[in-house]
Amino acid sequence: MAALPGEYFSVGSRVSSGTCQEQRLQASLRVSKLVYAISADVSPEGQQLFQTIHKTIKDCKWQEKNIVVMEEVVITPPYQVENCKDKEGSALSHVHKIVEKHFRDVESQKILQRSQAQQPQKEAALSS
């Protein structure tokens, strides 16, 4: 029996060639989307947001410097919540939530990095 995605294979286990081909195709698509973003001179923030959205909604792509999600929502630079526009459907609120969470997570990460950078300074001041 083949292992499920994320499981380890035991010695002698079999993996279908179709599964391997599908995984290679998905990896190739991810790389081509990243290469496109870099060649289109998309900001690092736009690239990060695209990757975050793509983890949740696979149906997203680049259209020049814009992110298009489910053919309904277009996110234009500078890729903030207010830059999300709905073409025709109700996907906008779902995409808004993803974008808002992305920026909350980015801000939390920055705060954590600043506190970790300040920790050695505090320790050095205390030991003086």
Side-chain angles (χ1 to χ4, degrees):
M1 178 165 75
L4 297 173
E7 290 184 336
Y8 293 101
F9 298 106
S10 60
V11 174
S13 65
R14 296 177 185 224
V15 180
S16 73
S17 63
T19 300
C20 290
Q21 288 174 339
E22 178 64 25
Q23 289 175 347
R24 282 195 303 266
L25 176 62
Q26 292 302 320
S28 175
L29 288 172
R30 283 191 302 273
V31 168
S32 67
K33 288 178 181 181
L34 181 59
V35 168
Y36 175 84
I38 292 169
S39 68
D41 199 28
V42 173
S43 69
E45 295 81 10
Q47 293 174 37
Q48 288 175 340
L49 178 60
F50 181 91
Q51 291 173 354
T52 298
I53 294 169
H54 193 263
K55 287 177 188 174
T56 305
I57 303 172
K58 298 299 180 210
D59 185 8
C60 65
K61 63 184 180 183
W62 289 103
Q63 188 176 58
E64 297 177 13
K65 290 187 179 190
N66 301 331
I67 301 171
V68 179
V69 184
M70 299 185 296
E71 299 294 333
E72 293 182 23
V73 178
V74 177
I75 308 171
T76 58
Y79 310 106
Q80 301 295 315
V81 174
E82 58 271 9
N83 302 109
C84 299
K85 305 292 183 229
D86 192 348
K87 283 186 176 177
E88 57 191 58
S90 62
L92 185 61
S93 65
H94 183 58
V95 173
H96 268 186
K97 290 175 186 174
I98 295 170
V99 174
E100 287 169 345
K101 182 181 182 319
H102 168 77
F103 284 108
R104 279 194 311 271
D105 292 349
V106 166
E107 189 57 33
S108 295
Q109 188 65 28
K110 286 179 183 177
I111 291 169
L112 179 63
Q113 288 173 348
R114 280 194 297 261
S115 70
Q116 289 174 343
Q118 292 173 351
Q119 192 64 31
Q121 295 171 353
K122 290 178 183 177
E123 290 173 0
L126 293 174
S127 64
S128 298

